[in-house]
Amino acid sequence: MITSDLSIAVNALNQGELVAIPTETVYGLAGSAFNEQAIQKIFQLKNRPTCNPLILHTHCISEVSKFVKEIPPNAMKLAEAFWPGPLTLLLPKKSNIPNSVTSGSHLVAVRIPNHAVTLSLLQQLDFPLVAPSANPYTRISPTNAKMVDDYFGEALPVILEGDICAKGIESTIVGFHDNIPVIYRQGAISVDAIEFIAGKSKVQATIKEKVTTPGMSPMHYAPMTKFCIVDSVLDFIYENRDLKIGALTLGKLEINQPNTSVIHLSINGDIEEASANLYKSMYDLDGMNLDCIIIEKFPEIGIGKSLNDRIQRASFK
C-alpha cells in the first residue's frame, strides 16, 4: 500500500514491520535498528547477503552521538556541511547497535536523510532506522514509490509516498583512517566536494574487493536486460540494427531506427538532472523486452564519476 499517512508507518515500524521510505537519494527498505527480527526481515525480503552491512538513519547530529563512540574532526566537518543530505559516515559504533546491522564490523554507517517526510517520521520514533535501498539485491534502486511496489507488491504492505527522489543515486560513503577521509562509495556528493571540506581523500576500490561497507558489492544497480557501456551510442546502433536496443543519452541525440528506444537523461546535458533520471530510465527500458540497453560514460567531473561507478556495476558480469 502506498500511503502518505505517517501514522500508519509509525505504527508498522513500532510493531517490528518494514516500511519503504523516501529519501533524497533512493527509496529505502526500513526497519527498527534495535529490532533483530526487523533487521532479518530486511535481509530476507531483499535477498541480501548478511555480510553486506546496513546504513543507520536518524534525524539530527545529537542523535548520532547516541549510536557512535566518537566523531573524528573531519567527520564532524563533513556532517556540518552536508547533513541532512546524501552523506553516509562510517564511525565506531556503540554497543547498542546490533552486530547484525554492521555485519560484525566495529564501524556503523550512519546518515541523516534530507527528505521532509522521512525526517518527520524519524522524529516520531524512539529508535533509528536501518534502510538499504528498497529493491531486490543487485537490482536497480527505486526512485519513486511505484517502483518499490512493483518490486515487492503485497510482501511490503507500507510504502510511504515521497514523490521522485531528487538526487536519484545513493549517498556517498566516507570512512576515516587517522582522520583522513576514505571514500568507500562514490555517490550524490562528489569527491571534489568532500575534499573541499575535509582535504585530500582516498577513493577505495570496490570492484572485486571484499564487501566491508554498504555499497561495495561489485554487481549492483543492474537491470535484467543486458547492460552495456559503449564508446558511441550512434555507432553501436548503426552496427547492430538487427537488435532491439534501448539507449540512454546525456544531451539530445536524434536517432531514427525502428528497433531503438531512446531516453534522454538530460536534454541540456546537465549531470545533476541525469543523475535524478538514471535509475528510473534504466528501469523503464528494462520493461521493454529489449536485447540490450546501452550508454556512454559520463564526463569524469563532479558526480559524473559516481554515475560512471553505477553504470560500471550495472554492466558487471
Side-chain angles (χ1 to χ4, degrees):
M1 173 181 65
I2 299 174
T3 180
S4 298
D5 190 338
L6 278 181
S7 65
I8 294 175
V10 169
N11 184 58
L13 291 164
N14 279 328
Q15 293 182 16
E17 299 300 326
L18 305 186
V19 173
I21 59 172
T23 77
E24 78 283 19
T25 56
V26 300
Y27 268 72
L29 182 63
S32 169
F34 295 158
N35 186 313
E36 195 64 49
Q37 289 183 325
I39 294 166
Q40 295 309 312
K41 285 179 185 177
I42 290 173
F43 284 111
Q44 292 163 7
L45 186 58
K46 281 180 62 71
N47 196 28
R48 179 186 178 103
T50 55
C51 62
N52 198 340
L54 305 176
I55 296 178
L56 192 80
H57 292 64
T58 190
H59 58 85
C60 64
I61 292 179
S62 61
E63 285 293 302
V64 172
S65 298
K66 297 178 181 179
F67 316 126
V68 304
K69 293 179 179 178
E70 63 173 334
I71 304 177
N74 266 337
M76 184 58 75
K77 287 182 182 178
L78 291 172
E80 291 172 344
F82 297 116
W83 277 349
L87 169 73
T88 295
L89 297 177
L90 279 171
L91 302 170
K93 79 179 187 74
K94 287 185 175 177
S95 59
N96 59 349
I97 300 301
N99 286 332
S100 55
V101 170
T102 64
S103 300
S105 172
H106 70 287
L107 300 174
V108 62
V110 60
R111 88 175 186 100
I112 301 173
N114 189 16
H115 194 290
V117 170
T118 293
L119 285 174
S120 180
L121 173 68
L122 287 162
Q123 289 164 4
Q124 296 180 46
L125 298 171
D126 295 328
F127 45 81
L129 296 176
V130 280
S133 54
N135 56 303
Y137 186 61
T138 77
R139 297 292 301 282
I140 303 166
S141 299
T143 54
N144 63 40
K146 183 181 181 301
M147 289 174 68
V148 181
D149 193 42
D150 288 347
Y151 278 139
F152 296 118
E154 294 181 359
L156 182 61
V158 182
I159 302 170
L160 268 181
E161 178 60 72
D163 297 324
I164 297 171
C165 300
K167 296 296 183 182
I169 61 170
E170 292 79 3
S171 61
T172 303
I173 298 180
V174 183
F176 301 88
H177 181 71
D178 293 334
N179 201 39
I180 296 172
V182 179
I183 298 175
Y184 287 93
R185 179 177 72 187
Q186 297 190 60
I189 299 173
S190 70
V191 174
D192 292 341
I194 296 294
E195 292 186 340
F196 181 79
I197 299 297
K200 186 65 176 175
S201 68
K202 175 185 176 183
V203 179
Q204 183 75 26
T206 55
I207 302 302
K208 298 181 181 179
E209 292 265 343
K210 179 183 176 183
V211 175
T212 55
T213 75
M216 288 188 72
S217 177
M219 182 180 177
H220 210 167
Y221 324 111
M224 300 296 288
T225 307
K226 184 178 181 180
F227 189 88
C228 303
I229 301 171
V230 299
D231 292 330
S232 168
V233 164
L234 285 174
D235 288 349
F236 185 94
I237 291 170
Y238 180 77
E239 293 165 4
N240 298 274
R241 282 169 287 182
D242 56 326
L243 297 180
K244 291 185 291 183
I245 298 171
L248 297 169
T249 70
L250 180 65
K252 190 170 184 179
L253 199 62
E254 295 295 339
I255 300 173
N256 297 308
Q257 291 291 335
N259 286 344
T260 301
S261 300
V262 181
I263 296 180
H264 302 111
L265 298 174
S266 171
I267 290 177
N268 298 321
D270 184 286
I271 293 287
E272 298 282 346
E273 183 181 13
S275 175
N277 292 328
L278 178 62
Y279 286 159
K280 177 61 164 58
S281 300
M282 290 170 64
Y283 180 84
D284 288 344
L285 290 177
D286 199 26
M288 294 184 182
N289 195 30
L290 302 169
D291 292 311
C292 62
I293 300 170
I294 62 172
I295 192 170
E296 295 175 14
K297 281 190 175 182
F298 294 90
E300 280 277 316
I301 55 172
I303 63 166
K305 297 176 183 178
S306 303
L307 297 181
N308 285 334
D309 169 81
R310 297 305 187 273
I311 64 174
Q312 181 180 0
R313 297 199 213 193
S315 66
F316 183 82
K317 295 292 183 286

PDB file of all heavy atoms in Angstrom, residues 256-283:
ATOM      1  N   ASN A 256      16.938   7.674 -35.501  1.00  0.00           N
ATOM      2  CA  ASN A 256      15.750   7.256 -36.241  1.00  0.00           C
ATOM      3  C   ASN A 256      15.908   5.814 -36.714  1.00  0.00           C
ATOM      4  O   ASN A 256      16.100   5.541 -37.895  1.00  0.00           O
ATOM      5  CB  ASN A 256      15.508   8.186 -37.436  1.00  0.00           C
ATOM      6  CG  ASN A 256      15.235   9.613 -37.001  1.00  0.00           C
ATOM      7  OD1 ASN A 256      14.371   9.845 -36.168  1.00  0.00           O
ATOM      8  ND2 ASN A 256      15.967  10.559 -37.560  1.00  0.00           N
ATOM      9  N   GLN A 257      15.862   4.905 -35.747  1.00  0.00           N
ATOM     10  CA  GLN A 257      15.937   3.483 -36.040  1.00  0.00           C
ATOM     11  C   GLN A 257      14.706   2.802 -35.440  1.00  0.00           C
ATOM     12  O   GLN A 257      14.372   3.022 -34.275  1.00  0.00           O
ATOM     13  CB  GLN A 257      17.215   2.872 -35.464  1.00  0.00           C
ATOM     14  CG  GLN A 257      18.495   3.311 -36.148  1.00  0.00           C
ATOM     15  CD  GLN A 257      18.610   2.760 -37.563  1.00  0.00           C
ATOM     16  OE1 GLN A 257      18.019   1.736 -37.875  1.00  0.00           O
ATOM     17  NE2 GLN A 257      19.364   3.441 -38.409  1.00  0.00           N
ATOM     18  N   PRO A 258      13.998   1.985 -36.224  1.00  0.00           N
ATOM     19  CA  PRO A 258      12.733   1.408 -35.743  1.00  0.00           C
ATOM     20  C   PRO A 258      12.884   0.505 -34.526  1.00  0.00           C
ATOM     21  O   PRO A 258      11.952   0.357 -33.744  1.00  0.00           O
ATOM     22  CB  PRO A 258      12.225   0.625 -36.964  1.00  0.00           C
ATOM     23  CG  PRO A 258      13.435   0.398 -37.823  1.00  0.00           C
ATOM     24  CD  PRO A 258      14.323   1.580 -37.601  1.00  0.00           C
ATOM     25  N   ASN A 259      14.051  -0.122 -34.347  1.00  0.00           N
ATOM     26  CA  ASN A 259      14.239  -1.052 -33.234  1.00  0.00           C
ATOM     27  C   ASN A 259      14.837  -0.395 -31.991  1.00  0.00           C
ATOM     28  O   ASN A 259      15.213  -1.096 -31.057  1.00  0.00           O
ATOM     29  CB  ASN A 259      15.162  -2.203 -33.663  1.00  0.00           C
ATOM     30  CG  ASN A 259      14.464  -3.175 -34.595  1.00  0.00           C
ATOM     31  OD1 ASN A 259      13.251  -3.171 -34.688  1.00  0.00           O
ATOM     32  ND2 ASN A 259      15.232  -3.993 -35.288  1.00  0.00           N
ATOM     33  N   THR A 260      14.950   0.924 -31.997  1.00  0.00           N
ATOM     34  CA  THR A 260      15.659   1.617 -30.920  1.00  0.00           C
ATOM     35  C   THR A 260      14.716   2.500 -30.112  1.00  0.00           C
ATOM     36  O   THR A 260      13.918   3.260 -30.672  1.00  0.00           O
ATOM     37  CB  THR A 260      16.801   2.473 -31.493  1.00  0.00           C
ATOM     38  OG1 THR A 260      17.707   1.634 -32.201  1.00  0.00           O
ATOM     39  CG2 THR A 260      17.552   3.182 -30.380  1.00  0.00           C
ATOM     40  N   SER A 261      14.826   2.387 -28.789  1.00  0.00           N
ATOM     41  CA  SER A 261      14.107   3.278 -27.868  1.00  0.00           C
ATOM     42  C   SER A 261      15.136   4.143 -27.150  1.00  0.00           C
ATOM     43  O   SER A 261      16.101   3.618 -26.589  1.00  0.00           O
ATOM     44  CB  SER A 261      13.311   2.468 -26.843  1.00  0.00           C
ATOM     45  OG  SER A 261      12.359   1.640 -27.479  1.00  0.00           O
ATOM     46  N   VAL A 262      14.924   5.453 -27.171  1.00  0.00           N
ATOM     47  CA  VAL A 262      15.901   6.388 -26.620  1.00  0.00           C
ATOM     48  C   VAL A 262      15.286   7.167 -25.464  1.00  0.00           C
ATOM     49  O   VAL A 262      14.156   7.659 -25.568  1.00  0.00           O
ATOM     50  CB  VAL A 262      16.407   7.371 -27.695  1.00  0.00           C
ATOM     51  CG1 VAL A 262      17.441   8.322 -27.098  1.00  0.00           C
ATOM     52  CG2 VAL A 262      16.995   6.620 -28.874  1.00  0.00           C
ATOM     53  N   ILE A 263      16.025   7.269 -24.367  1.00  0.00           N
ATOM     54  CA  ILE A 263      15.637   8.153 -23.264  1.00  0.00           C
ATOM     55  C   ILE A 263      16.765   9.145 -23.045  1.00  0.00           C
ATOM     56  O   ILE A 263      17.917   8.749 -22.838  1.00  0.00           O
ATOM     57  CB  ILE A 263      15.355   7.372 -21.966  1.00  0.00           C
ATOM     58  CG1 ILE A 263      14.149   6.448 -22.149  1.00  0.00           C
ATOM     59  CG2 ILE A 263      15.118   8.339 -20.804  1.00  0.00           C
ATOM     60  CD1 ILE A 263      13.798   5.633 -20.909  1.00  0.00           C
ATOM     61  N   HIS A 264      16.441  10.422 -23.115  1.00  0.00           N
ATOM     62  CA  HIS A 264      17.416  11.475 -22.855  1.00  0.00           C
ATOM     63  C   HIS A 264      17.435  11.752 -21.349  1.00  0.00           C
ATOM     64  O   HIS A 264      16.449  12.237 -20.797  1.00  0.00           O
ATOM     65  CB  HIS A 264      17.064  12.755 -23.625  1.00  0.00           C
ATOM     66  CG  HIS A 264      16.971  12.546 -25.110  1.00  0.00           C
ATOM     67  ND1 HIS A 264      15.776  12.612 -25.798  1.00  0.00           N
ATOM     68  CD2 HIS A 264      17.922  12.257 -26.023  1.00  0.00           C
ATOM     69  CE1 HIS A 264      16.001  12.382 -27.075  1.00  0.00           C
ATOM     70  NE2 HIS A 264      17.286  12.168 -27.243  1.00  0.00           N
ATOM     71  N   LEU A 265      18.533  11.446 -20.697  1.00  0.00           N
ATOM     72  CA  LEU A 265      18.644  11.669 -19.255  1.00  0.00           C
ATOM     73  C   LEU A 265      18.615  13.146 -18.922  1.00  0.00           C
ATOM     74  O   LEU A 265      18.129  13.552 -17.864  1.00  0.00           O
ATOM     75  CB  LEU A 265      19.932  11.036 -18.728  1.00  0.00           C
ATOM     76  CG  LEU A 265      20.021   9.516 -18.891  1.00  0.00           C
ATOM     77  CD1 LEU A 265      21.401   9.011 -18.484  1.00  0.00           C
ATOM     78  CD2 LEU A 265      18.946   8.812 -18.076  1.00  0.00           C
ATOM     79  N   SER A 266      19.151  13.952 -19.796  1.00  0.00           N
ATOM     80  CA  SER A 266      19.069  15.410 -19.685  1.00  0.00           C
ATOM     81  C   SER A 266      19.305  15.991 -21.069  1.00  0.00           C
ATOM     82  O   SER A 266      20.401  15.849 -21.618  1.00  0.00           O
ATOM     83  CB  SER A 266      20.106  15.964 -18.704  1.00  0.00           C
ATOM     84  OG  SER A 266      20.141  17.385 -18.772  1.00  0.00           O
ATOM     85  N   ILE A 267      18.297  16.618 -21.630  1.00  0.00           N
ATOM     86  CA  ILE A 267      18.433  17.206 -22.969  1.00  0.00           C
ATOM     87  C   ILE A 267      19.523  18.262 -22.975  1.00  0.00           C
ATOM     88  O   ILE A 267      20.259  18.425 -23.955  1.00  0.00           O
ATOM     89  CB  ILE A 267      17.078  17.800 -23.432  1.00  0.00           C
ATOM     90  CG1 ILE A 267      16.081  16.656 -23.708  1.00  0.00           C
ATOM     91  CG2 ILE A 267      17.262  18.649 -24.689  1.00  0.00           C
ATOM     92  CD1 ILE A 267      14.698  17.119 -24.089  1.00  0.00           C
ATOM     93  N   ASN A 268      19.671  18.971 -21.857  1.00  0.00           N
ATOM     94  CA  ASN A 268      20.664  20.048 -21.770  1.00  0.00           C
ATOM     95  C   ASN A 268      22.043  19.557 -21.326  1.00  0.00           C
ATOM     96  O   ASN A 268      22.947  20.368 -21.119  1.00  0.00           O
ATOM     97  CB  ASN A 268      20.176  21.131 -20.805  1.00  0.00           C
ATOM     98  CG  ASN A 268      18.893  21.788 -21.277  1.00  0.00           C
ATOM     99  OD1 ASN A 268      18.718  22.024 -22.466  1.00  0.00           O
ATOM    100  ND2 ASN A 268      17.981  22.050 -20.347  1.00  0.00           N
ATOM    101  N   GLY A 269      22.181  18.246 -21.129  1.00  0.00           N
ATOM    102  CA  GLY A 269      23.469  17.721 -20.711  1.00  0.00           C
ATOM    103  C   GLY A 269      23.811  18.010 -19.269  1.00  0.00           C
ATOM    104  O   GLY A 269      24.988  18.041 -18.894  1.00  0.00           O
ATOM    105  N   ASP A 270      22.801  18.217 -18.420  1.00  0.00           N
ATOM    106  CA  ASP A 270      23.007  18.540 -17.011  1.00  0.00           C
ATOM    107  C   ASP A 270      23.235  17.254 -16.215  1.00  0.00           C
ATOM    108  O   ASP A 270      22.362  16.377 -16.165  1.00  0.00           O
ATOM    109  CB  ASP A 270      21.784  19.286 -16.471  1.00  0.00           C
ATOM    110  CG  ASP A 270      21.965  19.751 -15.044  1.00  0.00           C
ATOM    111  OD1 ASP A 270      21.918  18.897 -14.136  1.00  0.00           O
ATOM    112  OD2 ASP A 270      22.156  20.957 -14.826  1.00  0.00           O
ATOM    113  N   ILE A 271      24.397  17.131 -15.569  1.00  0.00           N
ATOM    114  CA  ILE A 271      24.756  15.910 -14.846  1.00  0.00           C
ATOM    115  C   ILE A 271      23.806  15.651 -13.674  1.00  0.00           C
ATOM    116  O   ILE A 271      23.412  14.508 -13.408  1.00  0.00           O
ATOM    117  CB  ILE A 271      26.218  15.980 -14.341  1.00  0.00           C
ATOM    118  CG1 ILE A 271      27.197  15.959 -15.518  1.00  0.00           C
ATOM    119  CG2 ILE A 271      26.522  14.817 -13.409  1.00  0.00           C
ATOM    120  CD1 ILE A 271      27.330  14.628 -16.196  1.00  0.00           C
ATOM    121  N   GLU A 272      23.423  16.689 -12.953  1.00  0.00           N
ATOM    122  CA  GLU A 272      22.533  16.516 -11.803  1.00  0.00           C
ATOM    123  C   GLU A 272      21.164  16.014 -12.258  1.00  0.00           C
ATOM    124  O   GLU A 272      20.572  15.130 -11.620  1.00  0.00           O
ATOM    125  CB  GLU A 272      22.385  17.845 -11.053  1.00  0.00           C
ATOM    126  CG  GLU A 272      23.673  18.394 -10.460  1.00  0.00           C
ATOM    127  CD  GLU A 272      24.076  17.694  -9.183  1.00  0.00           C
ATOM    128  OE1 GLU A 272      23.235  16.970  -8.605  1.00  0.00           O
ATOM    129  OE2 GLU A 272      25.233  17.866  -8.749  1.00  0.00           O
ATOM    130  N   GLU A 273      20.655  16.558 -13.348  1.00  0.00           N
ATOM    131  CA  GLU A 273      19.376  16.098 -13.885  1.00  0.00           C
ATOM    132  C   GLU A 273      19.491  14.653 -14.369  1.00  0.00           C
ATOM    133  O   GLU A 273      18.598  13.836 -14.148  1.00  0.00           O
ATOM    134  CB  GLU A 273      18.930  16.999 -15.030  1.00  0.00           C
ATOM    135  CG  GLU A 273      17.567  16.627 -15.600  1.00  0.00           C
ATOM    136  CD  GLU A 273      17.138  17.508 -16.758  1.00  0.00           C
ATOM    137  OE1 GLU A 273      17.984  18.262 -17.298  1.00  0.00           O
ATOM    138  OE2 GLU A 273      15.959  17.433 -17.139  1.00  0.00           O
ATOM    139  N   ALA A 274      20.606  14.341 -15.015  1.00  0.00           N
ATOM    140  CA  ALA A 274      20.830  12.971 -15.478  1.00  0.00           C
ATOM    141  C   ALA A 274      20.864  11.999 -14.306  1.00  0.00           C
ATOM    142  O   ALA A 274      20.325  10.887 -14.392  1.00  0.00           O
ATOM    143  CB  ALA A 274      22.130  12.897 -16.272  1.00  0.00           C
ATOM    144  N   SER A 275      21.476  12.405 -13.220  1.00  0.00           N
ATOM    145  CA  SER A 275      21.539  11.572 -12.025  1.00  0.00           C
ATOM    146  C   SER A 275      20.143  11.263 -11.492  1.00  0.00           C
ATOM    147  O   SER A 275      19.823  10.125 -11.167  1.00  0.00           O
ATOM    148  CB  SER A 275      22.375  12.267 -10.946  1.00  0.00           C
ATOM    149  OG  SER A 275      22.354  11.541  -9.740  1.00  0.00           O
ATOM    150  N   ALA A 276      19.300  12.289 -11.430  1.00  0.00           N
ATOM    151  CA  ALA A 276      17.941  12.104 -10.922  1.00  0.00           C
ATOM    152  C   ALA A 276      17.121  11.167 -11.806  1.00  0.00           C
ATOM    153  O   ALA A 276      16.218  10.478 -11.316  1.00  0.00           O
ATOM    154  CB  ALA A 276      17.241  13.455 -10.811  1.00  0.00           C
ATOM    155  N   ASN A 277      17.457  11.114 -13.090  1.00  0.00           N
ATOM    156  CA  ASN A 277      16.665  10.328 -14.041  1.00  0.00           C
ATOM    157  C   ASN A 277      17.254   8.954 -14.363  1.00  0.00           C
ATOM    158  O   ASN A 277      16.591   8.143 -15.010  1.00  0.00           O
ATOM    159  CB  ASN A 277      16.516  11.115 -15.353  1.00  0.00           C
ATOM    160  CG  ASN A 277      15.652  12.347 -15.192  1.00  0.00           C
ATOM    161  OD1 ASN A 277      14.733  12.361 -14.384  1.00  0.00           O
ATOM    162  ND2 ASN A 277      15.936  13.386 -15.959  1.00  0.00           N
ATOM    163  N   LEU A 278      18.482   8.678 -13.937  1.00  0.00           N
ATOM    164  CA  LEU A 278      19.185   7.485 -14.405  1.00  0.00           C
ATOM    165  C   LEU A 278      18.465   6.192 -14.056  1.00  0.00           C
ATOM    166  O   LEU A 278      18.165   5.373 -14.934  1.00  0.00           O
ATOM    167  CB  LEU A 278      20.612   7.456 -13.834  1.00  0.00           C
ATOM    168  CG  LEU A 278      21.446   6.222 -14.208  1.00  0.00           C
ATOM    169  CD1 LEU A 278      21.646   6.138 -15.715  1.00  0.00           C
ATOM    170  CD2 LEU A 278      22.784   6.231 -13.472  1.00  0.00           C
ATOM    171  N   TYR A 279      18.183   5.953 -12.781  1.00  0.00           N
ATOM    172  CA  TYR A 279      17.624   4.661 -12.378  1.00  0.00           C
ATOM    173  C   TYR A 279      16.220   4.440 -12.944  1.00  0.00           C
ATOM    174  O   TYR A 279      15.892   3.344 -13.406  1.00  0.00           O
ATOM    175  CB  TYR A 279      17.589   4.545 -10.857  1.00  0.00           C
ATOM    176  CG  TYR A 279      18.939   4.304 -10.215  1.00  0.00           C
ATOM    177  CD1 TYR A 279      19.146   4.598  -8.865  1.00  0.00           C
ATOM    178  CD2 TYR A 279      20.005   3.772 -10.923  1.00  0.00           C
ATOM    179  CE1 TYR A 279      20.362   4.373  -8.257  1.00  0.00           C
ATOM    180  CE2 TYR A 279      21.233   3.553 -10.320  1.00  0.00           C
ATOM    181  CZ  TYR A 279      21.405   3.856  -8.986  1.00  0.00           C
ATOM    182  OH  TYR A 279      22.619   3.630  -8.382  1.00  0.00           O
ATOM    183  N   LYS A 280      15.384   5.469 -12.891  1.00  0.00           N
ATOM    184  CA  LYS A 280      14.027   5.326 -13.438  1.00  0.00           C
ATOM    185  C   LYS A 280      14.087   5.027 -14.932  1.00  0.00           C
ATOM    186  O   LYS A 280      13.321   4.206 -15.451  1.00  0.00           O
ATOM    187  CB  LYS A 280      13.225   6.602 -13.178  1.00  0.00           C
ATOM    188  CG  LYS A 280      11.820   6.609 -13.772  1.00  0.00           C
ATOM    189  CD  LYS A 280      10.944   5.507 -13.210  1.00  0.00           C
ATOM    190  CE  LYS A 280       9.459   5.741 -13.496  1.00  0.00           C
ATOM    191  NZ  LYS A 280       9.132   5.849 -14.913  1.00  0.00           N
ATOM    192  N   SER A 281      15.005   5.654 -15.643  1.00  0.00           N
ATOM    193  CA  SER A 281      15.134   5.415 -17.082  1.00  0.00           C
ATOM    194  C   SER A 281      15.633   4.006 -17.363  1.00  0.00           C
ATOM    195  O   SER A 281      15.151   3.322 -18.279  1.00  0.00           O
ATOM    196  CB  SER A 281      16.078   6.449 -17.701  1.00  0.00           C
ATOM    197  OG  SER A 281      15.584   7.766 -17.499  1.00  0.00           O
ATOM    198  N   MET A 282      16.607   3.539 -16.589  1.00  0.00           N
ATOM    199  CA  MET A 282      17.064   2.156 -16.715  1.00  0.00           C
ATOM    200  C   MET A 282      15.911   1.186 -16.470  1.00  0.00           C
ATOM    201  O   MET A 282      15.737   0.196 -17.199  1.00  0.00           O
ATOM    202  CB  MET A 282      18.200   1.884 -15.722  1.00  0.00           C
ATOM    203  CG  MET A 282      19.503   2.575 -16.038  1.00  0.00           C
ATOM    204  SD  MET A 282      20.714   2.463 -14.675  1.00  0.00           S
ATOM    205  CE  MET A 282      21.015   0.694 -14.608  1.00  0.00           C
ATOM    206  N   TYR A 283      15.134   1.485 -15.458  1.00  0.00           N
ATOM    207  CA  TYR A 283      14.004   0.629 -15.078  1.00  0.00           C
ATOM    208  C   TYR A 283      12.956   0.588 -16.197  1.00  0.00           C
ATOM    209  O   TYR A 283      12.435  -0.476 -16.540  1.00  0.00           O
ATOM    210  CB  TYR A 283      13.393   1.171 -13.789  1.00  0.00           C
ATOM    211  CG  TYR A 283      12.215   0.396 -13.257  1.00  0.00           C
ATOM    212  CD1 TYR A 283      12.418  -0.741 -12.470  1.00  0.00           C
ATOM    213  CD2 TYR A 283      10.917   0.808 -13.513  1.00  0.00           C
ATOM    214  CE1 TYR A 283      11.332  -1.452 -11.965  1.00  0.00           C
ATOM    215  CE2 TYR A 283       9.835   0.112 -13.012  1.00  0.00           C
ATOM    216  CZ  TYR A 283      10.046  -1.023 -12.245  1.00  0.00           C
ATOM    217  OH  TYR A 283       8.973  -1.723 -11.748  1.00  0.00           O
TER     218      TYR A 283
END
